Amino acid sequence: MPKLLLMDATGHIRQIPLAVPTVSLGRSPASDVVLDSKRASREHALIEVDGPKVVIVDMHSLNGTLVNGELIDRHQLAHGDSIEIGTVELRYVALDQVLSEDEALRLLTAPNLQASTQLGDWDDWDYDTERDQPKEPVLRRRQHH
């Protein structure tokens, strides 16, 4: 079952299974995933699950939703996608197994996670090179189907 990884304010990593057709994300206590960020809207985004297809939809939030650094309206998620809502960063994981705290931390913090990455591939990464690459500024909102 796909899931979201999220590090809360205490440093604890939450694994949020995406088992229902829709999962709401936002600052509101009524959200399925409550985000602790003043830059997140009360009803910020919605994740739609339709079998293997998982889509994130921005709910016309003030500060927008970024996937892999790009501002989106709607985006079909792929394993390893990084989602930024306000000051909260989440990672979409399309793995069925339950992750240990260490595995979840590695997946959450790994730069440029590729869709083919498996849990045993971590020794192949050059963290210094990945960290030193500058991010390009976001200039426009893109829509992915």
Side-chain angles (χ1 to χ4, degrees):
M1 164 183 332
K3 61 182 74 62
L4 291 176
L5 302 179
L6 162 70
M7 185 180 298
D8 66 21
T10 66
H12 176 73
I13 296 183
R14 294 173 46 201
Q15 297 183 43
I16 303 156
L18 300 174
V20 294
T22 58
V23 177
S24 61
L25 298 100
R27 217 177 57 237
S28 168
S31 296
D32 296 318
V33 179
V34 179
L35 303 174
D36 186 20
S37 172
K38 291 181 181 178
R39 294 188 59 216
S41 296
R42 285 185 294 278
E43 296 176 357
H44 198 102
L46 190 66
I47 293 183
E48 301 170 345
V49 181
D50 184 14
K53 184 178 173 183
V54 179
V55 175
I56 186 165
V57 180
D58 183 85
M59 302 301 292
H60 308 289
S61 64
L62 181 62
N63 291 311
T65 300
L66 283 81
V67 176
N68 300 325
E70 293 186 26
L71 196 59
I72 59 96
D73 287 319
R74 179 180 186 86
H75 180 86
Q76 184 169 340
L77 293 170
H79 175 69
D81 278 350
S82 172
I83 302 164
E84 295 175 57
I85 296 177
T87 56
V88 176
E89 185 169 344
L90 305 100
R91 183 75 67 149
Y92 173 72
V93 179
L95 300 175
D96 286 335
Q97 70 256 41
V98 176
L99 304 172
S100 72
E101 184 88 9
D102 287 341
E103 290 167 334
L105 178 62
R106 278 186 242 144
L107 284 171
L108 184 61
T109 59
N112 301 325
L113 185 62
Q114 298 297 317
S116 62
T117 300
Q118 298 298 314
L119 295 178
D121 293 340
W122 300 106
D123 294 335
D124 296 338
W125 290 35
D126 182 351
Y127 287 96
D128 292 328
T129 301
E130 297 288 341
R131 186 180 12 201
D132 294 338
Q133 294 176 352
K135 287 187 176 181
E136 294 183 25
V138 176
L139 299 177
R140 64 188 181 285
R141 186 178 289 252
R142 290 183 22 172
Q143 184 166 348
H144 298 273
H145 299 280

